[in-house]
Amino acid sequence: MSRRWIQNPNRCADEYLDGIEDFIEFARRHNPGATRIRCPCRRCNNMLWETIENIGFHLVRNGMIETYSIWNLHGEQVDHASSSNAPRVDNVEPIVDPNDQVMGIIQDVFPFSSTNINQEGEDDVPTPIDSAEFEQYEKLLKNANQELYQGCESFSVLTAIVELMHGKIKYRMSNLCFDYFLGVFKRMLPTDNCLPKDHKHAQKVLHGLGLGYEKIHACKNNCMLFYKEHETLDTCPICNESRFKMTSQNRTTKIPQKVMRYLPLKLRLQRLYMSTHTAIDMRWHKEKWVDDDVMRHPADGEAWKEFDRTFPDFAADPRNVRLGLATDGFNPYGVINQHHSTWPIFAFPYNLPPWKCMKKEYMMMTVLITEDPGRSIDVYLRPLVDELKDLWTNGIRKYDKSTGRMFTLRAAVMWTVNDFPAYAMVSGWSTKGYMACPVCKEDVTSGWHAGKVCYLSHWRWLPWDHEWREKDKEFDGNTERRLRPREWSGDEILEQLNCLNFAPFGKTVSRTKPSTHLNWTHKPMFFELLYWSKLKLRHNLDVMHVEKNVFDTLVGTILDIEGKTKDTIKARLDLERMGIQRGLWMNRDTDKARRDLAFFSMKPNDKKEFLKFVSFVKFPDGYASNIARCVNVDGVKFTGLKSHDCHVFMQRLLPVGIRHLLPEDVVKPIMLLSRFFSQLTAKTLRRTDMFQLRHDIVQVLCKFEMIFPQAFFTNVSNRKASQRVEKKCTQQSKARRINYRGLGSI
């Protein structure tokens, strides 16, 4: 039968739905009596077992694996000529012995222990191991063969520890809780049991499996790391701060002021090739990639292709790893009034297919910083950059489980993904002030409006002959003749940075910089990578953070929420000063100036109608959180909306809820903005649509500039600070009862 329906992107089409029914009928026929079979959807990837009824739902929601055209895992006989080693799966879910799984883990970590390695040719044999590694292997093998207690055939010592540690991580159990239950289990078992007494001893048993971390001492003021040539120092050579805390003289061990955890990247990349399935998937971007007009993976982007053309020797081996880096700060204690934040840095491999590369199972934490590093984040990136330089230049010899051969593994960072404040830390270009835009740089159009820096002149990005360039009164009162700012190449940026002298890192160092530095705060350490300046795209903005900030600004303004709206008294006075948008000027019919409700804001009754509509909305399970709980109808505001809630609200609820409550001239641009985010965050996107989106968003921003005041276009990264300033100004205005009668000349 034809299985072209698997490639159909429309999962609601009759062809696709009929194909699902054919697959389910095929599975029932070839697996009689089976209650659970492998699920071939993109999320389960034939690795998880589901009931036949649930598989139909999974295939509609997630889609079937596009390459799974021969259903050999569901009973279909495979032609021996095309696939001589195709596995035959049993009709029922197999019961895997935990002890066999643990032995498989040991064989993955120590490939020399496997007996079926191809011995033909010297390059096919894993490199010899040293005595320390062999000693770890013997310890693990001893624990894997030792019974948990005399007569126990189900669990060995290593199997029991692995099962318990897996449960600890899966259900987020604290170390104290784990110690308690481990002690209870030890007392329940016979007295001759070999179960560890606490979490610390259990970790020592698993130490041989690798994936540990290094503790690197850091200066208290973020000046430097006590690393490599500075490892033996006791004081910081920059600020003269002591490396250790002041303790009593009777204490034998010294306590460092600050510690950074570094998790070596090479060991984690090695794990990707220790499993046959993962090792095959690591070549997906080359072997299974389809060159069509659809963008479904970073390999479809121009930056990826430009990298392949620039470095053909790296691109020749599909097993070379392409990484992305991401970082952000969070408060691990969940206390709002605490300023402490922890900053992990994650790496994720893009070699994997799109339904795997962003799964948490494949994300690797490389650095853990215990406070906000600010621009000194490069200090903590030193071990990671050193390892990335070695991975690019020399590589490491690794064993590929799928082919049974050794190969030289190399790795490269393609780009970083951050929100706007973290973007400044990593890129070295400050995202505050008049030159905050990292694309326009010194050619940005910005000004001081309503007590904040705003970024305008979006019609610079329109075509040269566009009619809106002549509409001066609709914008800022001036015609726009300038072209869009030019794009800087990586080599030009590197040349500019090499001409600048930056102060050393650290809290005690003065941050004043000359005007020649523009908005550069430091030279990013990533430029030490030989390929970094050649990349077409070095830094990306996290669209979820941007979408949330845009949503908060937009909804706060159209609902006229106090402290969140950009339509303030200062914004109205600023429009009067500029002589534009007379409909938004202050009303001075009486003895006091009054700010009337703007045409882009809802009336009080319309606000309650909109909030009631949101409070009655229900989503399918797992699609979104209960947004109705975040609605305060009486207070006319939203509380507790998370990033994903704003993502769903912006794309699904907002266009429907406002279409009959606001003027058409206001509704249309908001709907276009919602569609822009919806298409941008879709799983698949055509390249032609990308160019259209780039053209549409310029027109949307220009329409917004015709509607909203200048203060609407502020820096989203400073949104919270702006809200505090606006709230304080509003409270002062109420307290002093300021009379705006004589402010007409401002």
Side-chain angles (χ1 to χ4, degrees):
M1 69 183 77
S2 175
R3 293 173 183 171
R4 297 175 60 182
W5 59 271
I6 300 176
Q7 308 292 334
N8 192 344
N10 183 10
R11 297 197 289 271
C12 296
D14 294 337
E15 177 192 13
Y16 191 87
L17 297 177
D18 293 340
I20 291 177
E21 293 181 359
D22 294 339
F23 171 77
I24 292 177
E25 183 181 354
F26 176 89
R28 291 183 187 275
R29 187 169 62 252
H30 288 77
N31 298 270
T35 58
R36 298 166 66 88
I37 60 175
R38 292 176 183 264
C39 179
C41 77
R42 294 179 180 178
R43 288 185 178 272
C44 299
N45 197 31
N46 277 324
M47 300 297 292
L48 302 179
W49 297 70
E50 292 286 346
T51 61
I52 296 179
E53 292 75 12
N54 288 341
I55 285 178
F57 173 73
H58 280 211
L59 294 178
V60 173
R61 184 179 63 180
N62 305 325
M64 181 178 281
I65 304 173
E66 295 181 358
T67 58
Y68 191 53
S69 57
I70 301 177
W71 299 335
N72 58 294
L73 298 179
H74 293 82
E76 182 174 4
Q77 297 291 340
V78 184
D79 186 9
H80 184 76
S82 60
S83 180
S84 59
N85 57 353
R88 174 66 176 172
V89 182
D90 297 333
N91 294 336
V92 295
E93 183 177 359
I95 300 176
V96 182
D97 186 2
N99 295 314
D100 293 340
Q101 286 184 327
V102 170
M103 291 301 298
I105 294 174
I106 296 177
Q107 291 180 2
D108 288 342
V109 177
F110 304 97
F112 64 86
S113 63
S114 179
T115 57
N116 56 356
I117 297 177
N118 184 10
Q119 300 292 334
E120 298 178 2
E122 183 179 354
D123 192 52
D124 298 346
V125 182
T127 55
I129 62 170
D130 53 17
S131 58
E133 189 175 359
F134 187 77
E135 183 179 353
Q136 291 179 351
Y137 167 69
E138 285 190 322
K139 289 181 179 179
L140 287 172
L141 193 62
K142 178 182 177 181
N143 290 320
N145 294 325
Q146 184 180 6
E147 295 179 345
L148 184 61
Y149 56 88
Q150 188 174 2
C152 178
E153 299 179 357
S154 302
F155 287 92
S156 65
V157 175
L158 186 60
T159 304
I161 296 175
V162 169
E163 291 282 347
L164 291 172
M165 293 292 284
H166 176 71
K168 175 187 183 299
I169 297 172
K170 183 177 181 180
Y171 298 105
R172 302 178 182 180
M173 191 182 300
S174 66
N175 291 351
L176 292 177
C177 182
F178 185 77
D179 290 346
Y180 171 76
F181 282 107
L182 203 61
V184 172
F185 294 153
K186 190 171 181 64
R187 293 195 301 269
M188 287 181 178
L189 296 174
T191 55
D192 59 344
N193 71 83
C194 302
L195 191 68
K197 61 180 182 179
D198 54 20
H199 177 255
K200 183 178 181 180
H201 288 79
Q203 277 190 319
K204 289 183 178 180
V205 176
L206 299 179
H207 179 72
L209 293 176
L211 297 185
Y213 64 90
E214 303 173 9
K215 290 184 178 181
I216 302 177
H217 297 176
C219 173
K220 179 182 179 180
N221 296 318
N222 297 336
C223 300
M224 54 162 286
L225 293 178
F226 295 96
Y227 171 72
K228 285 191 173 180
E229 65 272 13
H230 303 303
E231 189 174 3
T232 58
L233 298 179
D234 289 337
T235 58
C236 174
I238 298 175
C239 65
N240 296 323
E241 187 71 31
S242 175
R243 176 178 180 175
F244 302 100
K245 295 180 180 179
M246 296 295 295
T247 57
S248 62
Q249 297 180 354
N250 298 330
R251 189 180 181 91
T252 56
T253 58
K254 296 181 180 181
I255 302 176
Q257 297 266 23
K258 187 179 295 185
V259 179
M260 181 199 78
R261 274 79 175 176
Y262 179 65
L263 297 82
L265 186 61
K266 294 178 181 178
L267 296 176
R268 282 150 181 82
L269 296 180
Q270 174 183 335
R271 296 296 189 270
L272 296 174
Y273 289 95
M274 286 184 175
S275 171
T276 303
H277 300 288
T278 310
I280 294 175
D281 286 338
M282 287 295 289
R283 302 193 299 269
W284 184 94
H285 69 99
K286 186 79 172 182
E287 299 176 354
K288 302 294 181 65
W289 175 70
V290 180
D291 188 10
D292 54 8
D293 189 47
V294 179
M295 299 180 66
R296 60 180 66 88
H297 188 271
D300 298 307
E302 185 59 31
W304 189 291
K305 297 177 181 178
E306 180 70 20
F307 184 85
D308 288 348
R309 290 191 291 266
T310 308
F311 304 101
D313 56 334
F314 183 90
D317 191 348
R319 294 174 294 189
N320 290 332
V321 184
R322 305 173 189 234
L323 299 169
L325 293 180
T327 182
D328 198 5
F330 71 99
N331 188 341
Y333 307 110
V335 181
I336 298 177
N337 59 358
Q338 284 191 359
H339 298 288
H340 172 79
S341 62
T342 297
W343 286 74
I345 299 178
F346 289 94
F348 33 91
Y350 283 124
N351 296 44
L352 296 168
W355 55 88
K356 280 188 175 182
C357 63
M358 297 306 296
K359 287 290 187 68
K360 64 180 181 180
E361 292 84 356
Y362 301 100
M363 292 184 181
M364 299 167 283
M365 185 169 68
T366 58
V367 178
L368 184 62
I369 310 171
T370 55
E371 71 167 25
D372 185 0
R375 72 185 188 99
S376 300
I377 192 172
D378 276 23
V379 172
Y380 298 94
L381 286 174
R382 168 53 61 192
L384 177 61
V385 172
D386 288 346
E387 195 169 12
L388 288 171
K389 289 163 64 176
D390 186 58
L391 283 170
W392 173 261
T393 306
N394 303 319
I396 47 174
R397 297 291 292 172
K398 293 298 177 185
Y399 177 68
D400 187 351
K401 189 71 176 288
S402 63
T403 60
R405 295 173 178 268
M406 295 292 294
F407 74 103
T408 301
L409 173 66
R410 298 172 63 194
V413 176
M414 300 294 293
W415 46 67
T416 67
V417 182
N418 306 287
D419 60 358
F420 212 43
Y423 185 107
M425 297 164 55
V426 176
S427 67
W429 182 270
S430 175
T431 54
K432 299 178 182 178
Y434 289 98
M435 291 183 290
C437 180
V439 177
C440 303
K441 291 186 167 51
E442 76 277 5
D443 199 17
V444 66
T445 303
S446 58
W448 185 261
H449 298 280
K452 62 192 76 173
V453 180
C454 300
Y455 309 92
L456 306 167
S457 294
H458 300 98
W459 60 99
R460 283 187 64 183
W461 299 79
L462 291 171
W464 174 252
D465 56 347
H466 200 280
E467 59 179 353
W468 285 358
R469 284 181 172 267
E470 303 294 333
K471 293 185 177 182
D472 53 346
K473 293 299 182 182
E474 282 79 357
F475 294 102
D476 62 354
N478 301 313
T479 57
E480 184 58 72
R481 299 295 184 184
R482 297 174 299 171
L483 295 175
R484 67 177 60 182
R486 73 181 185 93
E487 296 182 8
W488 289 64
S489 67
D491 291 331
E492 290 175 330
I493 292 176
L494 180 59
E495 183 180 358
Q496 185 183 36
L497 288 171
N498 289 334
C499 298
L500 303 177
N501 294 322
F502 296 100
F505 295 108
K507 297 178 182 179
T508 59
V509 180
S510 175
R511 298 188 180 184
T512 58
K513 60 179 184 295
S515 59
T516 55
H517 285 55
L518 303 178
N519 249 32
W520 291 111
T521 60
H522 63 280
K523 181 181 178 181
M525 190 168 292
F526 287 114
F527 277 104
E528 294 184 12
L529 303 174
L530 299 178
Y531 54 87
W532 191 252
S533 62
K534 309 297 181 183
L535 297 178
K536 186 179 182 65
L537 185 65
R538 287 171 295 279
H539 304 285
N540 294 274
L541 286 175
D542 179 12
V543 68
M544 292 287 284
H545 281 81
V546 174
E547 191 173 13
K548 175 174 171 43
N549 291 329
V550 172
F551 171 83
D552 289 341
T553 300
L554 180 61
V555 172
T557 303
I558 64 176
L559 291 181
D560 198 25
I561 301 175
E562 183 179 358
K564 294 187 178 181
T565 179
K566 300 300 179 182
D567 182 27
T568 61
I569 294 176
K570 282 189 175 182
R572 297 288 184 94
L573 295 174
D574 187 67
L575 294 177
E576 292 187 37
R577 179 184 58 81
M578 298 178 66
I580 59 176
Q581 298 187 21
R582 293 186 62 89
L584 295 177
W585 290 8
M586 298 292 293
N587 189 344
R588 295 184 174 84
D589 294 340
T590 61
D591 59 342
K592 294 182 181 180
R594 185 179 70 254
R595 182 181 71 93
D596 293 335
L597 189 67
F599 67 95
F600 51 75
S601 297
M602 296 183 188
K603 298 177 181 179
N605 293 335
D606 294 339
K607 294 180 189 178
K608 291 188 177 181
E609 182 180 350
F610 175 73
L611 294 175
K612 286 181 181 178
F613 158 73
V614 177
S615 63
F616 286 108
V617 171
K618 297 184 183 298
F619 293 104
D621 185 30
Y623 182 79
S625 64
N626 191 354
I627 298 181
R629 295 181 180 178
C630 304
V631 179
N632 186 348
V633 179
D634 296 331
V636 194
K637 61 181 180 180
F638 295 97
T639 56
L641 284 174
K642 304 299 182 183
S643 296
H644 189 265
D645 299 333
C646 297
H647 168 77
V648 175
F649 204 129
M650 184 76 186
Q651 299 183 13
R652 306 301 176 192
L653 297 182
L654 191 62
V656 179
I658 67 171
R659 58 184 178 181
H660 65 288
L661 301 176
L662 291 174
E664 185 179 357
D665 294 340
V666 179
V667 172
K668 282 187 176 180
I670 294 177
M671 295 181 69
L672 290 174
L673 180 65
S674 176
R675 189 180 68 175
F676 168 80
F677 280 115
S678 179
Q679 292 180 318
L680 190 65
T681 56
K683 288 186 177 180
T684 58
L685 185 66
R686 296 187 179 276
R687 293 196 190 99
T688 53
D689 295 338
M690 283 294 298
F691 293 105
Q692 187 63 36
L693 287 176
R694 187 176 182 179
H695 175 266
D696 292 345
I697 192 58
V698 176
Q699 296 198 355
V700 170
L701 292 174
C702 290
K703 290 181 180 179
F704 272 33
E705 201 162 341
M706 296 179 187
I707 296 171
F708 297 103
Q710 312 294 306
F712 184 85
F713 304 93
T714 186
N715 191 340
V716 294
S717 66
N718 300 329
R719 176 177 53 84
K720 293 183 178 180
S722 301
Q723 289 177 3
R724 290 194 296 267
V725 172
E726 291 294 334
K727 185 176 181 180
K728 183 178 180 181
C729 293
T730 304
Q731 292 173 350
Q732 292 176 352
S733 300
K734 289 182 178 179
R736 298 176 183 176
R737 303 180 63 86
I738 297 177
N739 191 331
Y740 291 97
R741 181 172 50 184
L743 297 179
S745 60
I746 295 180

